[in-house]
Amino acid sequence: MSGATPAFDSHLHGPVLVIGAGLLGASIGLGLSHRGYTVYISDISPTTEAVAEDIGAGTSLRALTREWQGKDGQDAPAQLELAPQLVVVAAPPDVTADLVVRALADYPASFVIDIASVKSGILSAVRASGANVSRYLGTHPMAGREKSGPVAARGELFSARPWVLCDHETVRPELVKVAQQVATELGSTITHMDVGEHDRTVALISHVPQVMSSLLASRLQDTPLYALGLAGQGLRDTTRIAASDPGLWVQILSANAEPVVQTLYGVREDLERLISTLEAPTAAGARLDIAQLMSEGNSGVARIPGKHGGSPSAFAQLTVLVDDTPGTLARLLVEIGELGVNLEDLRLEHSPGAQVGMAELSVNPNEHEKLIEDLTSRGWKVVK
Amino acid sequence: MSGATPAFDSHLHGPVLVIGAGLLGASIGLGLSHRGYTVYISDISPTTEAVAEDIGAGTSLRALTREWQGKDGQDAPAQLELAPQLVVVAAPPDVTADLVVRALADYPASFVIDIASVKSGILSAVRASGANVSRYLGTHPMAGREKSGPVAARGELFSARPWVLCDHETVRPELVKVAQQVATELGSTITHMDVGEHDRTVALISHVPQVMSSLLASRLQDTPLYALGLAGQGLRDTTRIAASDPGLWVQILSANAEPVVQTLYGVREDLERLISTLEAPTAAGARLDIAQLMSEGNSGVARIPGKHGGSPSAFAQLTVLVDDTPGTLARLLVEIGELGVNLEDLRLEHSPGAQVGMAELSVNPNEHEKLIEDLTSRGWKVVK
């Protein structure tokens, strides 16, 4: 390569090299391959890389190298000269910064993005290495599933999910445009935030909720099972994400320790105050203290956007009993459709010990009362 | 009444007097009325009592008294002589004990139960009053909805929900049988626990989750709305119940302060340890500490019974993209039914900023992979 600054295209045309063929990397490879881009995929584990190729996530770099070396038969240059337009580092947070630095060096005409869920530390490390950060952009697709590995990959994993791009002072505008196209092609909605704001945000909306859920769930270890049998949706909802993978979360919480602990200081303060209040629940002002915590919780949760990012749920709820025979829930939904009512949200609730379920529906408040009447007259049991 | 001990019937035949015509009392009145029992309903507020009668929750005591006084025209005895078989005290926790004591005195041939969500304090207060606790049984139907008041009442509110009966040493066996029949008639599944075990159990499975949710949600008060727009199901699930009514929860947490604070001591300890770890995340042993908290959370949540009280979810999940047009979700369920697959659980997930939803389905693991194939070939987008 000469000393001249290469011209960079702001149009995503590929090829794309994905480094890291786990769930996210393989899903990106799958999604982009489906959309016609040339994708190369690489993983530190040969098996993982081969599986990713098998599922359609791209051409395995090892296979490509073998084929290329084999083709010549004679003295072939030592290194396959690959020139991807974009390198996507999709490795665990711990090793991402090193891989980004290496990719910036190995592919001097390429852009490099990563997708780790914590961003400040990576940008700092890449800067500190002396590498050319103008060709690097940190990003975070906020998608995932409880399974891991390439076999679990889905090209649609990012559909309708947010993808955050962490523009920084020296990033090339062409790179930002290319990254935007990747996210858009994969169906995501884009948000721009600097790395500090990103890390504080995910601390609040993802990492601290994980901590709270785990703190709560760990209290259940010695509870008799029949007592847990009385649990309702409240306990289930607040502990669901406590089933997350410890290995991954050790990395995330370590990497984002600072913003997480800042939020936890506030939690600790409120918890201490509540404990003091409950140690003397009949003391003057005790009730007001408790009410204040509850109200602050009310205010906080009311700020979370409702469905489709609109204002918090302005919908009315009703719960209908559905028995366990196949097709009952489908029939309920069909009848609701026949009544011309649009279903905004739906969940099926657990009913401990009984062979029925509760379908919790959200509808436009204007249609709420009439729907209850209509469903009841059609024989459905509206519970609440 | 003579000094002889009245004979008590163990068969529920009514009449039933419900004291307190809020959501729960009116729902009990409604449910029992629907099932043919004679129900009288009473509330400290004349309006509430009248509304409850209007919705079918029973005969208003005030109306009954006026009618009875009016009928005679002449000197009528000052007190309507009502002889309910069972009195159900369905008032806020704060006033329940007094109402139970009064009912035991006013209706010496009747059984009395209450339905407050905290039980030890009430039994103690009733005992301390010198009243005849053999005719009193504390109970707790674990049902409810976010609305309150008699207009929100539903006769099916208790269907498939647990109802706890808190037998104590001196309770008459006939009363326990009558209470069991009330719960069964209203569709509940019955669990017996003494008051101490009950209060510790609800502290763990209901009250502490409420506290944790409120503590977390209160952190969101100053978060920019566009940042909250990135929130996924994790934040929504862990903060959903933070929308609960402060007035009610002040009463509950005050009444159950002891078991709640005992559990919170454990939470505080774990939180302190995590904060210390995150203040020095690269120190030796830090990662192990975090992993340990996460694993304990894994263990705890795995103990919560799955659907229908069976062993925790042994089902496989898949998520299917559904667009927003009416009937799409119904069509998906119909097709799943056509494929002969039984849907164990379903929820529709919020998708911030996009006009699609994610239907998260739980199915038998044996049917999982084939269902994904079949749905995909029918044109559905299986996201994960």
Side-chain angles (χ1 to χ4, degrees):
Chain A
M1 299 287 301
S2 76
T5 314
F8 288 98
D9 197 338
S10 59
H11 171 65
L12 174 69
H13 47 68
V16 177
L17 167 62
V18 178
I19 298 180
L23 170 69
L24 291 174
S27 294
I28 289 172
L30 207 54
L32 291 177
S33 296
H34 283 165
R35 285 159 184 80
Y37 294 92
T38 299
V39 178
Y40 303 115
I41 190 142
S42 162
D43 194 279
I44 196 173
S45 149
T47 313
T48 303
E49 189 178 309
V51 169
E53 183 181 74
D54 284 348
I55 62 149
T59 303
S60 147
L61 210 59
R62 284 186 178 83
L64 191 71
T65 307
R66 278 195 304 271
E67 179 192 302
W68 180 81
Q69 286 172 335
K71 204 158 46 166
D72 234 319
Q74 299 136 9
D75 289 324
Q79 177 92 350
L80 169 69
E81 274 182 33
L82 202 62
Q85 179 191 20
L86 174 69
V87 178
V88 179
V89 174
D94 276 6
V95 298
T96 289
D98 285 349
L99 289 169
V100 167
V101 170
R102 201 189 314 174
L104 286 169
D106 287 350
Y107 305 102
S110 305
F111 287 140
V112 179
I113 67 174
D114 81 292
I115 60 165
S117 59
V118 187
K119 307 245 59 75
S120 301
I122 295 173
L123 181 61
S124 302
V126 174
R127 276 198 175 118
S129 76
N132 184 354
V133 289
S134 73
R135 287 190 292 117
Y136 163 69
L137 179 67
T139 84
H140 180 197
M142 302 187 67
R145 57 180 299 208
E146 277 152 30
K147 301 193 174 209
S148 57
V151 173
R154 298 270 183 272
E156 300 297 327
L157 191 68
F158 310 96
S159 276
R161 295 297 301 149
W163 199 311
V164 184
L165 306 185
C166 295
D167 307 28
H168 54 88
E169 289 161 349
T170 52
V171 69
R172 299 190 68 98
E174 297 91 343
L175 167 49
V176 176
K177 287 197 169 70
V178 165
Q180 284 173 332
Q181 287 163 79
V182 171
T184 306
E185 284 283 82
L186 294 174
S188 289
T189 55
I190 295 166
T191 301
H192 294 265
M193 284 182 170
D194 67 41
V195 291
E197 187 177 19
H198 168 276
D199 289 355
R200 288 189 299 277
T201 297
V202 294
L204 198 51
I205 68 175
S206 173
H207 304 167
V208 172
Q210 177 64 58
V211 165
M212 298 299 276
S213 193
S214 296
L215 286 171
L216 176 60
S218 67
R219 300 288 107 210
L220 307 178
Q221 290 180 92
D222 301 318
T223 313
L225 289 177
Y226 69 84
L228 289 175
L230 300 182
Q233 204 61 32
L235 180 66
R236 291 192 161 85
D237 283 348
T238 42
T239 57
R240 187 179 64 88
I241 58 178
S244 296
D245 168 34
L248 176 63
W249 279 91
V250 164
Q251 293 193 38
I252 292 175
L253 292 173
S254 305
N256 208 27
E258 175 61 22
V260 169
V261 83
Q262 287 300 326
T263 305
L264 292 182
Y265 289 145
V267 172
R268 177 172 62 183
E269 198 181 308
D270 285 351
L271 178 62
E272 292 280 9
R273 187 162 57 240
L274 180 65
I275 285 177
S276 298
T277 300
L278 293 179
E279 282 169 341
T282 52
R287 297 193 150 212
L288 184 59
D289 276 354
I290 300 173
Q292 198 155 349
L293 168 66
M294 300 290 310
S295 295
E296 288 176 5
N298 286 174
S299 302
V301 69
R303 293 170 62 81
I304 300 174
K307 183 174 168 152
H308 300 162
S311 56
S313 188
F315 300 115
Q317 263 95 39
L318 62 148
T319 303
V320 182
L321 219 64
V322 286
D323 66 42
D324 240 5
T325 54
T328 304
L329 182 60
R331 187 161 50 85
L332 173 64
L333 297 188
V334 167
E335 291 191 25
I336 291 173
E338 283 170 0
L339 290 164
V341 174
N342 193 29
L343 197 61
E344 300 294 336
D345 241 319
L346 162 72
R347 72 188 298 176
L348 199 54
E349 274 196 25
H350 300 276
S351 303
Q355 303 308 312
V356 289
M358 311 270 199
E360 196 181 278
L361 320 165
S362 297
V363 298
N364 188 312
N366 298 337
E367 302 184 296
H368 181 240
E369 282 309 317
K370 183 150 194 326
L371 180 62
I372 294 179
E373 277 184 45
D374 289 341
L375 288 177
T376 308
S377 66
R378 282 166 175 248
W380 294 98
K381 286 207 171 132
V382 180
V383 174
K384 50 182 176 173
Chain B
M1 301 282 303
S2 76
T5 315
F8 287 97
D9 196 338
S10 60
H11 172 66
L12 174 69
H13 47 69
V16 178
L17 166 62
V18 179
I19 298 178
L23 170 70
L24 292 174
S27 294
I28 289 172
L30 207 53
L32 290 178
S33 296
H34 283 166
R35 285 159 182 79
Y37 294 92
T38 301
V39 179
Y40 305 115
I41 191 143
S42 162
D43 195 278
I44 196 172
S45 148
T47 314
T48 303
E49 189 178 308
V51 169
E53 182 181 74
D54 285 348
I55 62 150
T59 304
S60 146
L61 211 58
R62 284 185 179 82
L64 191 72
T65 307
R66 276 193 307 270
E67 178 192 302
W68 180 83
Q69 286 172 337
K71 204 162 41 173
D72 234 317
Q74 299 134 6
D75 290 322
Q79 179 90 351
L80 167 69
E81 274 183 32
L82 202 61
Q85 179 192 19
L86 175 70
V87 179
V88 179
V89 174
D94 276 7
V95 298
T96 289
D98 285 346
L99 289 169
V100 167
V101 170
R102 202 190 312 172
L104 286 169
D106 289 349
Y107 305 103
S110 305
F111 287 141
V112 179
I113 67 173
D114 82 292
I115 61 165
S117 60
V118 187
K119 306 244 62 75
S120 301
I122 295 173
L123 181 61
S124 302
V126 174
R127 275 195 174 123
S129 76
N132 185 352
V133 289
S134 72
R135 286 189 292 119
Y136 163 70
L137 178 68
T139 84
H140 180 198
M142 301 185 66
R145 56 182 300 212
E146 278 153 28
K147 302 193 173 207
S148 56
V151 172
R154 299 268 183 271
E156 299 296 327
L157 191 67
F158 310 95
S159 277
R161 296 297 302 150
W163 198 310
V164 184
L165 305 185
C166 295
D167 307 28
H168 54 86
E169 291 162 349
T170 51
V171 69
R172 300 192 68 99
E174 297 91 344
L175 166 50
V176 176
K177 288 198 167 71
V178 164
Q180 283 173 334
Q181 287 165 76
V182 171
T184 305
E185 283 284 81
L186 294 174
S188 289
T189 54
I190 295 166
T191 301
H192 294 265
M193 284 182 170
D194 67 43
V195 292
E197 186 176 21
H198 168 276
D199 289 354
R200 288 188 300 277
T201 298
V202 294
L204 197 52
I205 68 174
S206 173
H207 304 167
V208 172
Q210 177 64 58
V211 165
M212 298 298 276
S213 193
S214 297
L215 286 171
L216 176 61
S218 66
R219 299 288 106 210
L220 308 177
Q221 291 180 90
D222 301 318
T223 313
L225 289 177
Y226 70 84
L228 289 176
L230 301 182
Q233 204 61 33
L235 180 66
R236 290 192 162 85
D237 283 349
T238 43
T239 57
R240 187 180 65 88
I241 58 178
S244 297
D245 168 33
L248 175 63
W249 279 91
V250 164
Q251 291 193 39
I252 292 175
L253 292 174
S254 306
N256 207 27
E258 175 61 20
V260 169
V261 84
Q262 287 300 326
T263 304
L264 292 182
Y265 289 146
V267 172
R268 176 172 63 183
E269 201 181 306
D270 285 352
L271 178 62
E272 292 279 10
R273 187 163 54 243
L274 180 64
I275 285 176
S276 299
T277 299
L278 293 179
E279 283 168 342
T282 53
R287 297 195 148 210
L288 185 59
D289 277 353
I290 299 173
Q292 198 156 349
L293 167 64
M294 300 290 311
S295 294
E296 287 175 5
N298 287 175
S299 302
V301 68
R303 293 170 61 80
I304 301 174
K307 183 171 166 157
H308 300 162
S311 57
S313 188
F315 300 114
Q317 263 93 41
L318 62 147
T319 302
V320 182
L321 218 63
V322 288
D323 66 42
D324 240 6
T325 53
T328 304
L329 181 60
R331 187 162 50 84
L332 174 65
L333 298 188
V334 166
E335 291 192 26
I336 291 173
E338 284 170 0
L339 290 164
V341 175
N342 193 28
L343 198 61
E344 299 294 337
D345 240 320
L346 163 72
R347 73 188 294 174
L348 200 53
E349 273 195 25
H350 301 276
S351 303
Q355 303 307 312
V356 291
M358 311 270 198
E360 197 182 276
L361 319 166
S362 296
V363 297
N364 187 312
N366 297 339
E367 302 184 295
H368 182 240
E369 282 309 317
K370 181 148 197 326
L371 180 62
I372 293 179
E373 276 182 47
D374 289 340
L375 288 178
T376 307
S377 66
R378 282 166 175 248
W380 294 98
K381 286 205 171 133
V382 179
V383 174
K384 51 181 176 171

